[in-house]
Amino acid sequence: MVRRAGLRLGLILCAGFAAVSQAQQPGFECRPLTCSTLIPALPVDDPHTNDCAYRAGNLWWVDYVAGSLAWNPPAAAGGDHEPVTVAIFDDGAYVDHEDLRGQLWTNEAEAHGKPGVDDDHNGYVDDLHGWNFVDNTPDVSPPEACRGQVSHGTLMASLVAARRNNGVGIAAPGSDGARLMIVRIVGCGAGRNDPLNPERLVRALDYATRMGARILSFSNHWYATTPELDRAFAEVADKPGSPRAALVVASVPNKGEPEAGYPAAYPYRRIIRAIPIGNDDMISPGTSPAPIGLNLGAPSACVIGAAAPPGHYRVEQGSSNSTAILAGVLAGIWATPPYAKLTPDEFVAAVVRKRMLRTPRRSKPGSRPPYVHGVPLADACLLATSERTARVCRGQELSGKRLNELQRNTSGRDARQDPRKGR
Ligand SMILES: [Ca+2]
Ligand SMILES: [Ca+2]
Ligand SMILES: [Ca+2]
C-alpha cells in the first residue's frame, strides 16, 4: 500500500490587508498599493510595458529580478523567443483569467483534433492545456465546488507568465518566454483537504515531461515520500541524459519548518531551490535549511498576482511566490536566443552554475546555516547588454572585472552561447 504524503503549501496572506481588498476588485485602480517597504517602485525598467500594476510601480519584484531583460528583445537583438513550457503543479488554474488566456501551453494535436477523441494517443482525451489529475478530466480550472476559494495555482501561473502588454493586471519575467502547462495534482484551496497522492504525482510527472515541459514548478512541499516517487523524481531531475530530463524549481518553506521537505530536499542535479527574500534583501526569517546546491534567492513578500476570473487580483507573501518568480526568470532566460538550444543539463551548467550562482548580487547574510554568507539573488542580468539593461544589473556588466569573469565563465563551448555575441 502506498503511503500518502502530507502536502503543505507555503501560502500566507500579506500583512497589508487593505491592499488585498483593493486588489481583489476587478480592474483595480492603477495606483500604487502600499504593502511593504519594498513597493511601490518607480520609475520602472521598461516604460513601454503597459500593464496596470507595472505602470503603477507595484511589480517591484519584476525589476528586482531584472525581469524586463527576459521580455522579447528587439528583433535586431536576436529576434523572438522560443517558448519554454513551464508545468505548474498545483490546484489547477483559472485559464479564463484575463492575464492567463493566451499564455497557455497548447497540445496542438488536441487543438486541431476531435472532441472526445485522444488525438495524439497519449492516453488523455482532449488534454488541451494540461490535465486535471484530481478529477481525471481535461478541465484544469478548479471545479465549480472550488469557486470562492483561493486558487493557489492561478496565482503561481500568473507570477510565472502573466500576459504582458494587455493593459491590465500584471506582467511577469516569463510573460514572453514561458508557456503554462497546468497540472492539477491537489484539490480545492491548494489541497488542504486533499493530501498529495504519490501515485497521482508520478503520473503527473510522467505526463508533463512526456509532453515537453522543460521546467516543473513546485510551490509546495511534502515530508513523506515513496520509492516510486523518488524514482520518478530521480529520472526527471537527476539521471544524466534522460529523455525525461527537466528542471525542477522547488520551494523552500519559510514558516519555521525544521526541514525543507520534498522536492527541495532531493540532492539532485536539476533541482533549483527558491530561497524566499523579504524586505531589504534579507532571507525571510523562518526559512528552512536547504541542501547545498542550486539555491537562488527570489522575492517572497507582497507580490500581486491573478486570483479569480475574469479579472481579480490579490497580494500575497510567501515562499510560493519566490518559486514561481524563479521559474519565470529561468524560463525567460532559457527562451532567449541562443540559450533556447540548450538541453536541461547544458542550461544548468552554462547558465545556472556558471552565471547565476556567481552573481555579485547576494542577499544579506542569514543568521544561521546554511545562510550565514547569504545566497545569490536570482535575476536575468546575464541578458544585459550595453544597449539594454536593468537598474539592478548596473555596475555588473559595465565593470571590467565582471566582464573578465564572464569571459572566463563562457570560454570554450559556452562562448558560442553568450548572448552578448552578435548583439
Ligand atoms: Ca491526448
Ligand atoms: Ca480530442
Ligand atoms: Ca497583464
Side-chain angles (χ1 to χ4, degrees):
M1 185 175 149
V2 174
R3 281 183 299 152
R4 290 171 76 86
L7 176 72
R8 298 177 63 189
L9 294 157
L11 175 71
I12 54 174
L13 288 175
C14 178
F17 193 72
V20 173
S21 305
Q22 180 192 43
Q24 282 183 299
Q25 299 305 314
F28 64 93
E29 290 180 58
C30 281
R31 62 187 174 84
L33 302 173
T34 302
C35 187
S36 86
T37 62
L38 292 170
I39 64 168
L42 286 168
V44 295
D45 280 339
D46 180 2
H48 304 296
T49 286
N50 66 18
D51 304 79
C52 168
Y54 189 70
R55 274 192 291 129
N58 296 323
L59 301 189
W60 64 272
W61 48 274
V62 171
D63 287 345
Y64 188 91
V65 297
S68 66
L69 298 181
W71 293 339
N72 263 334
D80 284 344
H81 287 86
E82 297 183 34
V84 170
T85 302
V86 180
I88 309 294
F89 286 77
D90 214 302
D91 61 1
Y94 288 114
V95 296
D96 49 351
H97 192 283
E98 64 186 10
D99 250 0
L100 295 185
R101 285 195 302 264
Q103 297 299 97
L104 303 167
W105 165 83
T106 297
N107 183 346
E108 294 299 332
E110 295 288 358
H112 299 100
K114 295 177 180 169
V117 173
D118 180 11
D119 298 284
D120 58 345
H121 311 290
N122 67 349
Y124 297 89
V125 174
D126 297 343
D127 54 315
L128 192 58
H129 301 304
W131 191 254
N132 178 342
F133 287 89
V134 178
D135 303 315
N136 205 32
T137 74
D139 184 356
V140 294
S141 291
E144 196 59 39
C146 300
R147 299 265 163 164
Q149 295 188 49
V150 171
S151 167
H152 188 262
T154 299
L155 178 74
M156 294 302 108
S158 73
L159 301 186
V160 173
R163 186 156 193 83
R164 185 172 76 91
N165 261 345
N166 59 349
V168 298
I170 70 166
S175 288
D176 297 352
R179 286 297 171 267
L180 299 161
M181 178 189 287
I182 309 301
V183 183
R184 188 166 190 258
I185 55 162
V186 287
C188 299
R192 288 188 179 81
N193 300 311
D194 177 30
L196 182 77
N197 177 325
E199 290 168 301
R200 183 191 287 164
L201 183 48
V202 168
R203 280 186 286 121
L205 275 175
D206 178 76
Y207 175 85
T209 52
R210 200 175 290 278
M211 298 310 289
R214 287 199 276 166
I215 294 179
L216 316 182
S217 184
F218 283 89
S219 289
N220 40 52
H221 52 276
W222 53 91
Y223 291 98
T225 182
T226 68
E228 293 79 9
L229 200 49
D230 293 346
R231 271 198 297 276
F233 269 99
E235 173 75 30
V236 168
D238 202 41
K239 187 178 169 188
S242 169
R244 316 289 301 287
L247 302 192
V248 172
V249 180
S251 67
V252 174
N254 63 344
K255 293 163 80 173
E257 294 89 339
E259 296 171 38
Y262 298 102
Y266 285 122
Y268 296 157
R269 73 187 72 216
R270 294 188 288 270
I271 301 266
I272 303 178
R273 301 175 197 85
I275 308 300
I277 303 297
N279 290 357
D280 305 321
D281 296 344
M282 289 177 61
I283 296 171
S284 174
T287 299
S288 307
I292 301 299
L294 309 181
N295 300 331
L296 289 164
S300 64
C302 295
V303 169
I304 186 170
H312 293 261
Y313 296 84
R314 57 186 296 115
V315 178
E316 297 280 2
Q317 66 181 20
S319 55
S320 294
N321 298 340
S322 316
T323 312
I325 293 167
L326 175 59
V329 171
L330 294 169
I333 296 171
W334 204 351
T336 303
Y339 297 115
K341 303 297 182 194
L342 302 187
T343 67
D345 284 329
E346 288 171 342
F347 184 82
V348 166
V351 173
V352 181
R353 287 192 180 279
K354 287 192 177 176
R355 306 289 286 273
M356 297 181 79
L357 288 187
R358 297 184 185 186
T359 175
R361 284 189 76 210
R362 294 184 72 87
S363 75
K364 295 224 170 78
S367 56
R368 58 183 180 176
Y371 305 120
V372 290
H373 301 296
V375 294
L377 297 174
D379 62 43
C381 288
L382 75 166
L383 300 178
T385 64
S386 54
E387 294 82 33
R388 191 180 192 226
T389 188
R391 277 170 300 165
V392 295
C393 311
R394 289 187 183 133
Q396 293 186 44
E397 78 280 12
L398 297 179
S399 123
K401 185 179 167 195
R402 175 70 177 151
L403 281 173
N404 288 339
E405 183 193 350
L406 290 176
Q407 281 158 0
R408 278 201 306 279
N409 291 344
T410 54
S411 60
R413 181 188 65 175
D414 298 323
R416 296 196 312 272
Q417 296 149 356
D418 191 327
R420 288 162 189 276
K421 298 207 168 192
R423 285 198 174 187

